[in-house]
Amino acid sequence: MYPKIDFLYLSEPDMIDAGVLDAARCVSVCEETFSLLGKGDYLMGGANHNNHGLNIVFPKETKFPNMPVAGPDRRFAAMPGYLGGRFDVCGNKWYGSNHANAQKGLPRSILTMMLNDKDTGAPLALMSANLLSAARTGAVPGVAAKYLVNKDAKTASVIGCGPINKACFAAIMTQLSGIEKVVCFDVFLDKANEFARWIEATYHVSAIGVDEAEQGFRDADVITVAASRLKPLHFKDEWIKEGAAILVSGPFNTDESFLTNCKIVFDHTPLQEAYVEDAVASGNKEAYYSGVIGGPFYRLIDAGKLPSLADSTGLGDVVNGVKPGRESAKDRVIFIACGMAVFDISWGFDLYKNAIDKGIGQSLNLWEKPSQA
């Protein structure tokens, strides 16, 4: 087949045809990925092989007229990785983000995903990745719901009513058949009401929209958090009922009394350790902690009020039966997900294989014969 190289291009409509919106399948693939993480059959960026990715963050001021300056959620990021198991492939998610995109009718982030042969580096597929990324972001708490939420859960809360939490809720619902009532919180009530209407139409359960955070947290058996980085979120210990599970996919803060009196499960503890390494290297740990999802935990670990990350529980260990997840129906459990390229790789690879089997997408030619061989 070599030296000629062709690769597959998948547009967003192609990705939909290939099954990117299949939440149940995505949860299954992400559960498989967690197992590989727990076994160590993966690589990500950085010298520690566990970095979330590499960001370009723009300066507040610049003397260069064409260089972008800092703005809300404005950055570029590359998230490379290798995943073993049946995937056995390398990949990189690349995205640019800018909150001002909404003024142009665009999503906040625009993402693409490239899969590459692990041996030659040859491209296998280039795909639209907004729906891919949202689906895998949602599927991660979907896996957590399978292992950490009480199976008789009847009430759910959605904290932050944007597209990411829609993917999270869809994935969580593949694992919880007993949900009867959903409360949707957003600082913008119209968004909360719109989300509630979608839930009622899609899942035929009772749903209401609220714009007071306490209403969103109280009395819920399972809570999915994916609030905006631009709107700081704080919930109180007293709002969280016995036996509740909080599945966190976005920034938050809460009372120290809650974090020191709940069961904590991280997506992957080496990833969290890499965040702390980056915080130390930044020279301003406190500022760094304020910008990452795990920040509230890192502060308490530094203060000796929580076990070290090395002694903490990752979901891969729970999936593999190495460590327990929920140990009692009365446990209050919090799950922290920060996002990893290996999930984009696994879900992207699965969709790539689907596309090939179904004849979806466009074949593009890199070269017939390389000029520099």
Side-chain angles (χ1 to χ4, degrees):
M1 56 185 294
Y2 294 123
K4 178 182 178 182
I5 292 179
D6 293 325
F7 62 97
L8 190 65
Y9 169 69
L10 297 170
S11 67
E12 184 166 276
D14 291 335
M15 293 293 281
I16 293 171
D17 290 343
V20 72
L21 301 179
D22 185 343
R25 176 61 184 167
C26 190
V27 169
S28 177
V29 170
C30 287
E31 182 179 12
E32 189 178 355
T33 308
F34 270 117
S35 179
L36 292 169
L37 280 169
K39 295 172 183 175
D41 194 3
Y42 74 95
L43 296 168
M44 292 191 292
N48 54 27
H49 306 303
N50 281 296
N51 273 74
H52 172 78
L54 180 66
N55 288 332
I56 298 173
V57 180
F58 298 111
K60 293 181 179 179
E61 298 178 353
T62 176
K63 64 181 180 180
F64 302 103
N66 294 324
M67 181 180 288
V69 294
D73 211 7
R74 191 171 192 185
R75 66 192 186 280
F76 281 87
M79 296 174 63
Y82 162 81
L83 186 62
R86 70 177 175 89
F87 305 101
D88 196 28
V89 70
C90 288
N92 181 59
K93 184 172 76 173
W94 169 246
Y95 70 91
S97 179
N98 189 347
H99 187 72
N101 279 358
Q103 300 167 13
K104 301 177 181 179
L106 295 171
R108 172 182 58 82
S109 298
I110 298 177
L111 305 94
T112 54
M113 181 74 197
M114 176 68 81
L115 297 176
N116 296 80
D117 180 89
K118 66 170 185 179
D119 293 317
T120 66
L124 301 174
L126 173 64
M127 56 189 70
S128 170
N130 278 57
L131 295 178
L132 168 76
S133 184
R136 70 81 165 156
T137 300
V140 164
V143 178
K146 177 176 179 178
Y147 288 90
L148 304 178
V149 176
N150 279 318
K151 297 308 175 187
D152 61 352
K154 291 181 171 56
T155 58
S157 285
V158 175
I159 307 298
C161 295
I164 295 301
N165 230 352
K166 182 173 283 190
C168 292
F169 186 80
I172 290 166
M173 287 295 282
T174 68
Q175 305 302 309
L176 302 176
S177 59
I179 296 298
E180 298 173 354
K181 178 184 176 182
V182 184
V183 177
C184 306
F185 162 78
D186 199 278
V187 294
F188 300 107
L189 185 57
D190 58 336
K191 289 184 65 177
N193 287 332
E194 181 183 355
F195 205 104
R197 289 192 294 269
W198 171 75
I199 288 175
E200 289 190 328
T202 305
Y203 297 98
H204 309 292
V205 298
S206 172
I208 61 169
V210 301
D211 59 0
E212 292 184 10
E214 183 173 355
Q215 292 177 279
F217 282 90
R218 277 199 184 272
D219 300 320
D221 295 316
V222 56
I223 302 163
T224 171
V225 177
S228 170
R229 294 181 181 275
L230 304 180
K231 312 179 194 81
L233 172 71
H234 186 283
F235 64 87
K236 296 183 179 181
D237 185 355
E238 65 193 64
W239 297 350
I240 310 304
K241 68 181 287 187
E242 184 179 81
I246 306 177
L247 311 178
V248 179
S249 305
F252 77 100
N253 217 323
T254 187
D255 303 331
E256 180 179 312
S257 58
F258 174 76
L259 296 181
T260 53
N261 288 282
C262 69
K263 171 80 176 187
I264 302 165
V265 178
F266 294 99
D267 49 3
H268 191 49
T269 52
L271 170 75
Q272 308 295 329
E273 290 176 308
Y275 273 118
V276 174
E277 288 179 21
D278 286 346
V280 172
S282 74
N284 188 341
K285 282 172 56 171
E286 180 57 35
Y288 194 93
Y289 286 174
S290 296
V292 295
I293 296 172
F297 298 94
Y298 307 157
R299 294 187 187 97
L300 293 176
I301 291 170
D302 287 348
K305 296 179 180 181
L306 285 176
S308 70
L309 285 165
D311 294 326
S312 300
T313 299
L315 188 55
D317 290 330
V318 177
V319 170
N320 290 334
V322 175
K323 292 184 178 181
R326 173 177 289 279
E327 297 177 82
S328 163
K330 294 183 177 181
D331 285 345
R332 296 190 301 175
V333 181
I334 187 166
F335 170 70
I336 303 300
C338 294
M340 286 175 274
V342 289
F343 291 98
D344 299 285
I345 292 169
S346 61
W347 188 223
F349 183 84
D350 216 61
L351 296 169
Y352 162 64
K353 289 295 188 180
N354 283 351
I356 290 176
D357 290 344
K358 296 178 180 179
I360 297 168
Q362 179 181 353
S363 179
L364 299 179
N365 178 251
L366 190 68
W367 57 53
E368 295 292 331
K369 182 179 180 181
S371 296
Q372 295 181 331

